[in-house]
Amino acid sequence: MKWILILFSIITLKTCNNTSLEQNTTMLNNNFSITTLNGTNVSAFNLTISFNDSTKQVSGFSGCNRFFGSYTIKNNTIKLGPLASTRKMCMPKLNNVESKLLDALTKANHFTIKNDTLILLEEENKLLTAVKKDFYESVSFEYTQHSKGRFQLIKVNKKTITIQNKRAGTITKTDCNEIQWQKIISAFKLVNTDSISSLKAPSNKRLFDGAAIAKLTVTFDGETYETPSFDHGNPHPNIANLVKEILSLTQNVE
């Protein structure tokens, strides 16, 4: 009987540890806003880190550039890297924060998650804390169309819809409700952001005044993506549904 109890205890302990690890791994498969770095509040820099459990890829915004790479988890340990990043130049203050963040990420070997807060550690030393975020909360969109006698500017973010129908005309602003926003985000999730700047226009009527000149700009996770010009009414298929949803917002705004 005693041996049965001991064996049951060992099996239970192992099951609990595995369950805890699975829960941590599942919760890690999220997007986080970094709040502290080496004990210093860095919320103002809008640093982010995201984990994709299916591809074991980590990415984020480090203050000046975006970083990306792989990660592995074993028991309660984590290894990030090798990491790479874009190469945009920024102010020394931003470069300094970025350097410290990337250094912390390469040193991290343990993590804990509690109440949607992620903590990365080097042994017992806390390197950074981050809170789970709505990854699409800060994305914004800007659509313009213009010709000799026509102009329209539409700006959309989670809170507001702004429309201007004349170059020097009145700017109309209204709230963006949750239904409208979710339709926009659903369409945006289907867009390959890395290809936005190289999308080839399907037609060229704008070149001889056969259509208004249109352009879409997306600001997302610290980066700005802008399409080449295209014919209003005929965007590239990669952004067609997104443009359609953005334009539909004007129907509810005077």
Side-chain angles (χ1 to χ4, degrees):
M1 184 64 177
K2 182 177 180 180
W3 283 105
I4 294 175
L5 288 173
I6 293 174
L7 181 60
F8 179 76
S9 298
I10 292 172
I11 293 173
T12 302
L13 179 61
K14 184 176 181 180
T15 303
C16 289
N17 285 339
N18 287 342
T19 301
S20 177
L21 178 59
E22 288 173 2
Q23 288 175 341
N24 273 348
T25 303
T26 301
M27 293 178 68
L28 189 64
N29 184 38
N30 265 306
N31 313 300
F32 298 88
S33 295
I34 298 172
T35 52
T36 68
L37 179 60
N38 298 323
T40 301
N41 190 319
V42 291
S43 300
F45 294 95
N46 298 315
L47 309 179
T48 64
I49 185 167
S50 301
F51 298 87
N52 187 319
D53 185 52
S54 62
T55 62
K56 290 298 185 289
Q57 294 292 303
V58 61
S59 61
F61 177 63
S62 50
C64 178
N65 290 279
R66 288 191 54 77
F67 67 88
F68 43 88
S70 59
Y71 73 95
T72 55
I73 295 176
K74 184 177 181 180
N75 297 327
N76 291 321
T77 65
I78 187 169
K79 176 176 173 57
L80 301 172
L83 299 176
S85 69
T86 53
R87 297 185 178 183
K88 184 169 64 176
M89 294 298 295
C90 292
M91 297 183 297
K93 185 176 182 179
L94 298 179
N95 290 331
N96 183 47
V97 170
E98 180 167 86
S99 178
K100 289 180 178 179
L101 174 57
L102 295 178
D103 181 61
L105 294 179
T106 58
K107 289 180 178 178
N109 53 25
H110 288 82
F111 76 99
T112 63
I113 299 178
K114 186 176 181 180
N115 298 328
D116 290 336
T117 297
L118 165 68
I119 301 175
L120 290 182
L121 308 99
E122 181 185 20
E123 304 305 338
E124 300 297 323
N125 179 37
K126 186 186 294 185
L127 298 172
L128 67 82
T129 60
V131 294
K132 185 178 174 182
K133 62 172 282 189
D134 176 357
F135 199 48
Y136 298 98
E137 187 174 22
S138 61
V139 65
S140 63
F141 307 91
E142 183 174 309
Y143 182 85
T144 59
Q145 57 148 317
H146 63 90
S147 61
K148 289 182 178 179
R150 185 174 186 174
F151 176 84
Q152 186 177 56
L153 168 63
I154 307 169
K155 294 183 178 181
V156 187
N157 58 42
K158 188 175 182 179
K159 294 182 178 180
T160 60
I161 303 166
T162 304
I163 299 174
Q164 183 178 354
N165 288 321
K166 293 182 179 180
R167 294 182 188 276
T170 302
I171 298 175
T172 304
K173 183 178 290 187
T174 187
D175 292 339
C176 181
N177 64 48
E178 188 63 22
I179 294 176
Q180 292 170 322
W181 183 245
Q182 288 306 320
K183 286 183 177 180
I184 293 286
I185 293 303
S186 293
F188 176 57
K189 287 180 178 179
L190 301 177
V191 174
N192 178 2
T193 54
D194 291 333
S195 70
I196 286 179
S197 62
S198 59
L199 294 178
K200 185 177 180 180
S203 56
N204 295 304
K205 292 181 179 180
R206 68 195 180 284
L207 301 182
F208 49 87
D209 296 331
I213 301 171
K215 185 173 289 187
L216 174 68
T217 303
V218 180
T219 302
F220 177 55
D221 198 30
E223 290 288 332
T224 297
Y225 306 88
E226 184 176 271
T227 67
S229 65
F230 57 91
D231 292 349
H232 173 63
N234 191 26
H236 189 280
N238 186 37
I239 59 169
N241 195 39
L242 176 58
V243 170
K244 176 184 175 183
E245 292 297 339
I246 291 173
L247 291 175
S248 72
L249 299 176
T250 63
Q251 299 173 8
N252 303 313
V253 179
E254 294 295 332

